[in-house]
Amino acid sequence: MPFDFRRFDIYRKVPKDLTQPTYTGAIISICCCLFILFLFLSELTGFITTEIVNELYVDDPDKDSGGKIDVSLNISLPNLHCELVGLDIQDEMGRHEVGHIDNSMKIPLNSGVGCRFEGQFSINKVPGNFHVSTHSATAQPQNPDMTHVIHKLSFGDTLQVQNVHGAFNALGGADRLTSNPLASHDYILKIVPTVYEDKSGKQRYSYQYTVANKEYVAYSHTGRIIPAIWFRYDLSPITVKYTERRQPLYRFITTICAIIGGTFTVAGILDSCIFTASEAWKKIQLGKMH
């Protein structure tokens, strides 16, 4: 007797003349297909969409930076001449730079009455401060007006990712135009290293920060101290990492198979129960007629 390969078929076919279509089965079949389509589209959307996972750990992520952090500052002082405005940088490693001018620009405002300072500079990864003041001016003004608007203060790379909402420019839009013109302003910053890794594995290093501020008029035994806008910073040892991830293909296929198989199985059980109950009801009705 020749070997019949068809013996391995576990999906045996039932002739159509041995099956019986019903209205209930048709309704359940249509609902089943629509339900499968809905779940399939939902899973497909989740598979295509990139998921961003975040984690926290203790580390210095950007070890190739040479212990430096890039800073971008954009601030307007509408009532202080540009020749009086300067940037000073100090830290606990002994750095003390007065009148930093590299990669900086001063733009006159209000017909030269005010000034907009834009600067790109680097700071060491140690506690310190940088401040906008008149300390570097050749002659100190009698009553410097330190009212200001901060347009931007950011550290490291600029991250423009839709699903990442962090305090990368927490001071952006800070308006101190109605404050005391002779007051100093202290912004206390806590800087948090942040890493963003895309699907290709490329990493970008940025920094988020929290801020607290106070406004005061300072005096010493010689009289009133020249006001300034201070940014005092410290670094957090905690690093935040955002990683782009996409659902693996095998998991997507497994879920789709589970959806199709599970839905057809449940629909088949439901149809069988309804059909059995319907046949039993018909037999009961026929028994009553006899």
Side-chain angles (χ1 to χ4, degrees):
M1 183 177 179
F3 176 74
D4 190 356
F5 185 74
R6 292 177 298 177
R7 293 179 181 178
F8 294 104
D9 185 6
I10 61 176
Y11 302 103
R12 300 298 179 96
K13 311 304 182 291
V14 180
K16 284 189 176 182
D17 55 352
L18 298 179
T19 60
Q20 179 182 349
T22 62
Y23 287 106
T24 304
I27 294 173
I28 292 177
S29 298
I30 293 173
C31 293
C32 176
C33 292
L34 293 176
F35 185 66
I36 290 175
L37 179 63
F38 169 73
L39 293 180
F40 172 78
L41 293 177
S42 300
E43 285 297 323
L44 181 62
T45 302
F47 175 70
I48 296 174
T49 303
T50 300
E51 179 186 11
I52 297 180
V53 181
N54 61 68
E55 58 181 315
L56 302 177
Y57 58 92
V58 179
D59 193 15
D60 177 14
D62 191 7
K63 296 181 175 63
D64 298 328
S65 64
K68 302 286 186 180
I69 300 176
D70 293 329
V71 183
S72 178
L73 175 64
N74 189 332
I75 184 172
S76 291
L77 298 94
N79 300 307
L80 196 63
H81 293 279
C82 280
E83 60 267 19
L84 300 174
V85 176
L87 177 70
D88 310 328
I89 306 173
Q90 298 174 291
D91 62 34
E92 292 187 359
M93 292 183 69
R95 181 182 183 182
H96 189 179
E97 187 175 348
V98 179
H100 179 88
I101 58 174
D102 294 338
N103 298 319
S104 63
M105 180 171 54
K106 300 177 184 179
I107 305 171
L109 299 175
N110 304 330
S111 302
V113 175
C115 185
R116 179 168 179 150
F117 179 87
E118 299 180 11
Q120 305 279 340
F121 55 97
S122 62
I123 57 175
N124 294 315
K125 291 184 177 180
V126 294
N129 74 79
F130 52 92
H131 53 277
V132 177
S133 67
T134 62
H135 297 163
S136 60
T138 53
Q140 293 299 315
Q142 190 66 29
N143 294 306
D145 187 336
M146 302 308 293
T147 55
H148 61 277
V149 176
I150 301 174
H151 306 288
K152 179 182 180 183
L153 176 60
S154 62
F155 300 86
D157 296 337
T158 300
L159 293 182
Q160 294 181 340
V161 183
Q162 183 177 2
N163 295 326
V164 174
H165 303 286
F168 296 98
N169 186 24
L171 276 174
D175 189 331
R176 300 293 182 268
L177 295 179
T178 58
S179 61
N180 186 343
L182 299 177
S184 290
H185 299 265
D186 263 16
Y187 295 100
I188 314 300
L189 313 178
K190 194 71 172 181
I191 301 175
V192 182
T194 303
V195 182
Y196 187 87
E197 182 177 319
D198 59 21
K199 294 189 294 294
S200 64
K202 180 181 178 181
Q203 293 185 340
R204 285 181 285 172
Y205 303 97
S206 186
Y207 296 83
Q208 303 181 64
Y209 62 93
T210 59
V211 58
N213 68 284
K214 64 177 179 178
E215 176 186 333
Y216 60 93
V217 178
Y219 292 91
S220 69
H221 64 279
T222 59
R224 180 171 49 81
I225 297 176
I226 298 173
I229 304 170
W230 298 82
F231 301 92
R232 308 181 192 273
Y233 60 87
D234 193 7
L235 274 79
S236 169
I238 302 297
T239 295
V240 180
K241 184 177 182 181
Y242 297 97
T243 307
E244 287 186 354
R245 292 180 184 174
R246 180 170 288 176
Q247 182 181 342
L249 180 60
Y250 72 87
R251 186 177 299 173
F252 172 70
I253 295 175
T254 302
T255 304
I256 295 302
C257 292
I259 288 172
I260 295 174
T263 304
F264 271 119
T265 300
V266 172
I269 294 173
L270 180 62
D271 179 61
S272 177
C273 291
I274 294 175
F275 180 76
T276 302
S278 174
E279 291 297 309
W281 177 254
K282 289 179 180 178
K283 290 180 180 180
I284 292 173
Q285 294 296 105
L286 289 175
K288 288 182 179 181
M289 291 177 64
H290 293 296

